[in-house]
Every structure is written in structure tokens, then in C-alpha cells.
Amino acid sequence: MQIGMIGLGRMGGKMAIRLVKAGHDCVVYDHDSSEIATAAAEGARSAKNLPDLVKLLERPRAVWLMVPAAAVDAVISTLTPLLSPGDVVLDGGNSYYHDDIRRAGELRTKDLHYVDVGVSGGVWGLERGFCHMIGGDTDIVQRLDPIFRALAPGVDAASRTVGATGKPSNAEMGFLHCGPTGAGHFVKMVHNGIEYGMMASYAEGLNILKHANAGLLAPAKTDAETTPLRRPDLYKYDIDLPQVAEMWRRGSVISSWLLDLAAAALRESPALDGYAGRVSDSGEGRWTLQAAIDESVPAPVISAALFARFGSRGEADYADRVLSALRFGFGGHLEKTDERH
């Protein structure tokens, strides 16, 4: 099958190569010519610009965008005048599903189709495959089935769920038509919200283990500003975090790909010296919480994980100053630079 791929960054380029390796005709374009060259070296056909990409595709065309969510509208605005009735635009970025509904309506007036695809797989997707969550009209999604199937990890990516028999479903292959326009990105939005919570839980747990040696450290000065460690003898463990992560990966109920990645990072640098601890968010956690509020569904873990990311970027600094000022105001408490001294 033939498809155009616009955006060859962390995932787009690897998706194009995976499609080529599966025998599909992939025409690629990116503003970075080196990314085009990399994909072309693997068998993709390169386009000089968007008009060239459209010309290289046969009707009805399918053009997949793998660009940042903030850039999707601009790319669609440039792309759609070049397309013909019946062509399909797929958005594989982390767009807000509200935007999907609007875009599909706008494209429908031009007799163009729109499919939203939430893609998970990260930089490892070329080898592992890309799990994807799809929203759009059933007939269009079915037409594109060979593309989705080629990108998906396949049934062997995980053992079959107990009770599953017969021919594997699309979901078992690693892709799913979740519903009409927006459903794909809605499911991916919640997927990323869950990811926030899982990452935060691993981080908090490993941090507790890291500080299990508190009783071995020099005792804090006794003063009115510091709560003492009441039983230092209960916290005298120097726990090997890289080895704990390795052990947890094998047979524990908290094993996961995220834990695999944590183990790899800890093996490379137990102190994680190459990281400053500033954690960004690209919007999905916020949107998940907005949906939870609209649905009256409690989501305390995801909300705490999102707010922790805000704090990691210094967004809590002013609030912390307010707390310190109030504490000084009512009790004359002075700030300490180090709680242990």
C-alpha cells in the first residue's frame, strides 16, 4: 500500500522505515533533509516539499502527519489545497481530541477524510512496533488496515490473555479502531495520563529506597525547625537501586517496559547524574484530568503526577516562598538551607 509520511522525528522516521520493510511504498518529507536521507537510504521515496509529496502519491491518497500537535493545523492548512476528494489525512501526533473533531468537520466540507491515531512506541518502535489507537470512519479505517497492521507490534509482543482463543483480534496485534473521530486520541490521552502516574510511582518508590540510609547519616542538629528522625536504627539500609530494578523486572507484579527503562538508566548512572529532574508535559495529562472532571470521575493519582511535573519545573517556587513567609510571620521560623544541619 502507498502512504505519505510528513514529519520524520523521533517516531515518524522509524514508522516510515518499518512500513518500507513491510513492503509498503512510503513517500516521506521533513524540513530536516538529513531525516529524509535516512529514510530514503532504507527504501522510502523522498519528496522535496509538500506539493512534491502529493504528486508522488496516487489517488485516493493517504497522508500521515507525525508533527507536534501545535503544528498540525498549519500543516493541514498547507496540505489540503493540494489534495483531491477522497484523500485521507491521518494525524499521529498527540493532538487534543477536541481538535480532531473540529478538523474532521473542516476537512469533510472539502470531501476529505480525517483519521486520528494515537501512537505509542517511542524511539524503540522500529524494532518493537508501534501500538496505535485509531479514531475515524469505519470504512476509511478498514481501507488503511494494511498500514496499521504493518506498524503494529504483532500478537507475539505479549503472551495471549488467558481465555483468548482463535484468530488474534486487531487489539491483540497492537492496534484498535476505538470509535469515531477523536476516539483514538481520547484513548491515547488517557494512556499518557496513566503513564504519568506509573512513572511518578516508580520515581517515588525508588526515592524512598534511596533514602533508606537516613539512619546512617550524620544526625540533624536539634532545634525547633527540624523534625528529628525518631528511630535512626530503622533506616540503616544502603540499597543497590540498579540491582533492585533488575530484580523487579523478573517476575514481580510491577514489571513493565517503564521499569525496563528505569533499570537501564540506573545501570548507566545509579545517581542519574545526566538528568536535572525537570519533567515536561505535552498536554495529555492535563486533558485527561479535564475529561475526568467533566465525567465526574476521580483521578487523584494522575492529578498528583501532573502537579509533580509542574513542581519539577520550578512552578511551585512562589508558593513555597509564600509558605516560608507565613511560617516566619506567625512563628518567627527562619529558613534552613539544609534540614540536616
Side-chain angles (χ1 to χ4, degrees):
M1 191 171 182
Q2 191 180 64
I3 192 163
M5 184 71 70
I6 299 173
L8 305 174
R10 284 175 292 183
M11 287 200 289
K14 295 177 176 61
M15 290 168 65
I17 294 171
R18 187 171 174 90
L19 288 170
V20 168
K21 289 182 179 296
H24 295 285
D25 178 14
C26 194
V27 181
V28 300
Y29 173 72
D30 191 280
H31 62 80
D32 186 341
S33 59
S34 65
E35 297 288 0
I36 297 176
T38 298
E42 297 290 340
R45 289 195 290 153
S46 60
K48 299 187 293 292
N49 48 44
L50 293 187
D52 188 38
L53 179 138
V54 172
K55 289 178 182 178
L56 290 171
L57 296 172
E58 299 174 1
R59 297 176 59 183
R61 306 176 184 90
V63 183
W64 192 314
L65 311 186
M66 285 301 292
V67 300
V72 172
D73 282 326
V75 175
I76 289 179
S77 178
T78 303
L79 179 66
T80 51
L82 306 172
L83 299 177
S84 305
D87 290 350
V88 184
V89 176
L90 300 93
D91 175 18
N94 281 327
S95 288
Y96 195 17
Y97 77 99
H98 291 194
D99 293 329
D100 293 323
I101 296 170
R102 169 181 56 79
R103 290 167 185 154
E106 293 170 350
L107 292 183
R108 195 174 295 115
T109 64
K110 300 177 174 65
D111 293 323
L112 299 172
H113 304 287
Y114 180 88
V115 175
D116 53 283
V117 189
V119 182
S120 183
V123 297
W124 298 94
L126 176 58
E127 297 81 15
R128 293 171 57 100
F130 297 90
C131 167
H132 37 289
M133 299 139 258
I134 308 159
D137 296 338
T138 299
D139 58 334
I140 302 302
V141 173
Q142 289 178 345
R143 184 205 304 177
L144 296 166
D145 183 86
I147 295 297
F148 299 135
R149 196 169 296 274
L151 288 170
V155 69
D156 292 335
S159 58
R160 297 193 77 181
T161 302
V162 175
T165 58
K167 181 181 178 181
S169 66
N170 286 351
E172 290 183 277
M173 298 298 293
F175 68 102
L176 179 67
H177 182 202
C178 300
T181 299
H185 277 147
F186 190 93
V187 174
K188 179 55 163 44
M189 172 187 79
V190 177
H191 163 284
N192 283 23
I194 292 170
E195 178 186 290
Y196 281 27
M198 291 176 66
M199 292 171 66
S201 182
Y202 283 128
E204 291 175 10
L206 289 168
N207 201 24
I208 293 169
L209 292 178
K210 182 178 186 298
H211 289 86
N213 64 351
L216 298 173
L217 304 177
K221 292 182 179 179
T222 301
D223 57 40
E225 305 302 321
T226 306
T227 299
L229 179 60
R230 297 177 64 88
R231 292 285 306 276
D233 57 302
L234 299 179
Y235 299 95
K236 294 187 175 182
Y237 306 119
D238 278 320
I239 295 175
D240 190 328
L241 297 187
Q243 291 303 303
V244 167
E246 285 291 349
M247 174 265 298
W248 279 348
R249 292 179 60 218
R250 294 167 173 82
S252 85
V253 297
I254 63 168
S255 59
S256 73
W257 185 34
L258 287 174
L259 183 59
D260 295 345
L261 296 175
L266 290 169
R267 179 178 289 273
E268 181 178 349
S269 173
L272 300 177
D273 295 318
Y275 301 92
R278 186 187 190 282
V279 187
S280 298
D281 75 285
S282 52
E284 298 83 16
R286 305 177 188 217
W287 304 335
T288 301
L289 290 182
Q290 184 60 60
I293 292 167
D294 290 345
E295 297 168 358
S296 300
V297 173
V301 171
I302 295 173
S303 63
L306 176 65
F307 294 146
R309 292 191 177 203
F310 294 169
S312 78
R313 306 197 298 261
E315 303 296 346
D317 286 357
Y318 188 74
D320 292 341
R321 291 171 187 267
V322 171
L323 290 173
S324 186
L326 291 175
R327 196 163 182 270
F328 176 77
F330 70 70
H333 299 283
L334 300 175
E335 290 185 335
K336 298 181 66 176
T337 58
D338 186 338
E339 285 297 306
R340 300 199 58 84
H341 300 289

